[in-house]
């Protein structure tokens, strides 16, 4: 295997990372700004954690989601509730973590693309 394959590997890696990051970014979509913030409590700390929250109309609902493993039963967590359908909710921390992962994948993809270009220059 010659050095001329190095740009190909960097290019393929860049493409894969950017595609993966873009797909992850689309699936998270960011936190909905119009949803209502409420406080939930961890009911089951085993991943995926079970969080119970009270809807704005007073109904108790449970939501499964992935939080940091350090969460314990009874701990409060931030939840966003859809004002149209209060059974739809998202864990704020889980969404932020997913957005961070997507951003990291995109950054790594761009770095790999730059490395591909530089390796084309270096190895022709």
């Amino acid at each position: 295997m010659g050095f001329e394959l190095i740009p190909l590997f960097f290019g393929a890696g860049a493409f894969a990372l950017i595609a993966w990051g873009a797909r992850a970014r689309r699936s998270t979509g960011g936190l909905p700004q119009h949803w209502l913030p409420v406080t939930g409590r961890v009911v089951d700390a085993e991943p995926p954690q079970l969080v119970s929250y009270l809807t704005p109309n007073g109904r108790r609902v449970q939501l499964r989601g992935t939080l940091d493993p350090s969460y314990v039963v009874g701990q409060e967590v931030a939840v966003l509730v859809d004002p149209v359908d209060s059974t739809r909710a998202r864990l704020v921390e889980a969404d932020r973590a997913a957005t961070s992962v997507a951003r990291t994948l995109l950054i790594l993809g761009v770095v790999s693309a730059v490395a591909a270009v530089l390796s084309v220059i270096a190895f022709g």
Side-chain angles (χ1 to χ4, degrees):
M1 175 169 80
F3 288 116
E4 63 276 354
L5 293 179
I6 291 175
L8 179 65
F9 289 128
F10 277 120
F15 177 78
L17 287 168
I18 290 172
W20 192 11
R23 188 173 346 123
R25 183 73 177 136
R26 272 193 311 275
S27 70
T28 59
L31 292 170
Q33 298 301 315
H34 66 284
W35 285 23
L36 305 171
V38 298
T39 300
R41 287 200 182 277
V42 176
V43 177
D44 180 4
E46 291 298 316
Q49 288 86 355
L50 183 63
V51 173
S52 176
Y53 64 94
L54 197 60
T55 66
N57 61 2
R59 184 172 162 214
R60 179 133 326 260
V61 180
Q62 292 185 336
L63 162 71
R64 280 233 178 254
T66 303
L67 294 165
D68 185 299
S70 66
Y71 278 82
V72 295
V73 172
Q75 188 168 354
E76 291 186 347
V77 294
V79 178
L80 286 177
V81 178
D82 184 345
V84 177
D85 178 4
S86 60
T87 61
R88 288 185 50 201
R90 292 168 68 169
L91 296 170
V92 173
E93 182 188 316
D95 274 11
R96 285 188 181 141
T99 300
S100 177
V101 167
R103 186 179 320 115
T104 301
L105 289 169
L106 290 170
I107 290 169
L108 288 173
V110 169
V111 169
S112 292
V114 169
V117 169
L118 293 176
S119 62
V120 164
I121 293 168
F123 300 115

